[in-house]
Amino acid sequence: MARAEWGYSGRGKWCSYKRTTLLICSINIVVGLFVFHSLYTSLYIYSLQDSQTFVKYTPDQIRKMEESIRIRKAAEPVELIKLVKEIKKEFLREESRLELPKQLKQKIMDEILERLRRLSADANLTEQQEAVERWRKEKLKEATQVTLKRTLNSTVLPGEAGMLARALESGWSQLSEDIGLWIPVEIHNKEHDDKPEGAEDEDEEILPGRQVPPECHAELHSDYGGIAVRWGLTHHRESASDCCQACLDHARNAKPGENKCNIWVYCPSETGCYSPDIYEHKHTECWLKYAEKPRLNFKDRYPEWFRDSHRNVPVIVPWVSGVVGA
């Protein structure tokens, strides 16, 4: 009996449930730590081996790679990329362009012409430019005051004041182009007769197409200024005679109050015609213009000082033009 009690009490002391659970948990923890240590060690060794791995290239392989990079750079369409960037800029300018109503543009043209008519008959181009600039500043001030509601006696409508102020301040060059206003820099041409004494005149240059009628007053190698009533970039005619006829038709069909064409300027050169602006003027361009007192921009030859200050200027003026209805 005593032996049996000793055995039972011994099992109760050394083999209780709590001690068994604690033993099993300890074994699991040890196994888990061992597995984690094994995984971490293998990952560290793999990373270290991978970081120390590198590829050795032969000099011939390096030369071929450098040649490949050079060929790719040389094959890049640099000009095409520049052209695409310029087209994007042009699209952005067109999107941001402020378009004024047609009646407002006509009103602006009438006011500028009225300001120019107030000048004396012998006013030069500089005086004309100053008169237009004074009008612009006065109109800008008036439109700004209407926008701020500081004046009631004004010819500018409240609904048009804001857009007119922006057009006169930041979009004046574009507005001038839209209404056909262009006053060139005054140029004084001095003709030089360096033909040897006794030399005969060269044969008169013949314009392609049908003969220009006398009433067109065609002048070879001449370029007259004026307000464009028909934009030549989108107005082409087969010959100088047809261009003059277009001017006559415009003057005959003009509505009351509109500027009637009295100047035609035509590009007879197959390679295009030079002009001191940003546009490319092509063969058969026909500009219809108006000027109360027509003035020549250039005649026969471009002056040397002008060729020195402008790029790609030819010696001979390529345009042919004439004044009609005078």
Side-chain angles (χ1 to χ4, degrees), residues 169-183:
E169 185 173 12
S170 59
W172 173 240
S173 59
Q174 186 63 52
L175 178 59
S176 301
E177 179 182 323
D178 291 343
I179 64 177
L181 174 65
W182 180 61
I183 302 177

Side-chain angles (χ1 to χ4, degrees), residues 9 20 36 41 43 66-67 69 77 99 101 121-122 136 153 168 233 239 242 254 266 292 305 313 326:
S9 61
T20 302
F36 178 77
T41 304
L43 180 62
E66 291 176 348
E67 181 68 16
I69 294 173
E99 187 67 25
D122 56 348
R136 186 188 72 84
N153 186 17
L168 292 175
L233 296 176
S239 65
D242 295 332
Y266 181 75
E292 185 176 357
W305 64 265
V313 182

Side-chain angles (χ1 to χ4, degrees), residues 152-222:
L152 299 175
N153 186 17
S154 174
T155 59
V156 180
L157 299 178
E160 300 174 345
M163 66 175 70
L164 180 59
R166 292 194 298 273
L168 292 175
E169 185 173 12
S170 59
W172 173 240
S173 59
Q174 186 63 52
L175 178 59
S176 301
E177 179 182 323
D178 291 343
I179 64 177
L181 174 65
W182 180 61
I183 302 177
V185 178
E186 189 169 13
I187 298 175
H188 301 281
N189 296 302
K190 184 177 181 181
E191 297 184 2
H192 298 275
D193 186 8
D194 53 358
K195 182 177 63 177
E197 186 177 355
E200 295 182 358
D201 293 335
E202 298 180 358
D203 293 337
E204 185 178 356
E205 185 176 347
I206 300 176
L207 289 172
R210 61 190 182 91
Q211 186 176 0
V212 182
E215 59 269 21
C216 294
H217 304 288
E219 298 182 34
L220 297 176
H221 308 300
S222 65

Side-chain angles (χ1 to χ4, degrees), residues 21-298:
T21 304
L22 180 62
L23 180 62
I24 294 173
C25 292
S26 300
I27 294 172
N28 289 336
I29 291 173
V30 171
V31 173
L33 291 174
F34 176 77
V35 173
F36 178 77
H37 180 268
S38 299
L39 291 175
Y40 177 78
T41 304
S42 62
L43 180 62
Y44 175 77
I45 294 173
Y46 176 78
S47 303
L48 183 61
Q49 290 177 350
D50 185 67
S51 63
Q52 293 177 349
T53 302
F54 59 91
V55 180
K56 293 183 178 180
Y57 295 100
T58 64
D60 185 60
Q61 290 176 327
I62 295 175
R63 182 185 59 81
K64 289 182 178 180
M65 285 189 291
E66 291 176 348
E67 181 68 16
S68 176
I69 294 173
R70 187 189 64 80
I71 293 174
R72 285 199 300 269
K73 288 184 177 180
E76 287 183 356
V78 180
E79 295 297 329
L80 180 60
I81 293 174
K82 289 182 179 180
L83 181 60
V84 171
K85 289 182 179 179
E86 291 177 359
I87 293 175
K88 287 183 178 179
K89 290 180 181 179
E90 186 66 25
F91 282 153
L92 291 175
R93 283 196 295 267
E94 289 294 333
E95 291 176 357
S96 61
R97 176 177 172 179
L98 182 63
E99 187 67 25
L100 297 181
K102 185 176 180 180
Q103 63 272 16
L104 182 56
K105 289 182 180 179
Q106 185 64 45
K107 183 179 179 181
I108 292 173
M109 291 173 59
D110 294 339
E111 291 186 9
I112 292 176
L113 287 176
E114 180 61 29
R115 184 63 63 91
L116 293 175
R117 290 192 185 100
R118 296 177 187 175
L119 300 176
S120 60
D122 56 348
N124 56 32
L125 297 178
T126 302
E127 293 173 341
Q128 294 179 21
Q129 290 175 337
E130 291 175 352
V132 173
E133 182 62 18
R134 283 196 301 271
W135 173 87
R136 186 188 72 84
K137 292 180 179 179
E138 293 172 3
K139 204 65 173 178
L140 175 60
K141 182 178 179 181
E142 181 181 352
T144 304
Q145 290 178 346
V146 172
T147 305
L148 300 175
K149 298 181 180 180
R150 294 179 179 178
T151 180
L152 299 175
N153 186 17
S154 174
T155 59
V156 180
L157 299 178
E160 300 174 345
M163 66 175 70
L164 180 59
R166 292 194 298 273
L168 292 175
E169 185 173 12
S170 59
W172 173 240
S173 59
Q174 186 63 52
L175 178 59
S176 301
E177 179 182 323
D178 291 343
I179 64 177
L181 174 65
W182 180 61
I183 302 177
V185 178
E186 189 169 13
I187 298 175
H188 301 281
N189 296 302
K190 184 177 181 181
E191 297 184 2
H192 298 275
D193 186 8
D194 53 358
K195 182 177 63 177
E197 186 177 355
E200 295 182 358
D201 293 335
E202 298 180 358
D203 293 337
E204 185 178 356
E205 185 176 347
I206 300 176
L207 289 172
R210 61 190 182 91
Q211 186 176 0
V212 182
E215 59 269 21
C216 294
H217 304 288
E219 298 182 34
L220 297 176
H221 308 300
S222 65
D223 178 15
Y224 275 88
I227 300 173
V229 297
R230 190 68 167 84
W231 204 245
L233 296 176
T234 56
H235 184 239
H236 291 253
R237 290 296 180 268
E238 293 184 1
S239 65
S241 179
D242 295 332
C243 182
C244 172
Q245 186 61 48
C247 181
L248 295 173
D249 294 340
H250 181 278
R252 183 168 53 253
N253 299 324
K255 297 179 181 180
E258 289 185 346
N259 292 327
K260 297 182 179 181
C261 175
N262 64 343
I263 299 171
W264 59 274
V265 182
Y266 181 75
C267 177
S269 174
E270 294 184 357
T271 58
C273 295
Y274 171 83
S275 185
D277 53 33
I278 62 174
Y279 303 105
E280 180 183 357
H281 299 277
K282 298 183 179 180
H283 181 219
T284 70
E285 270 191 21
C286 176
W287 290 79
L288 307 184
K289 302 180 180 181
Y290 166 79
E292 185 176 357
K293 296 180 180 180
R295 295 174 181 269
L296 275 169
N297 290 335
F298 300 100

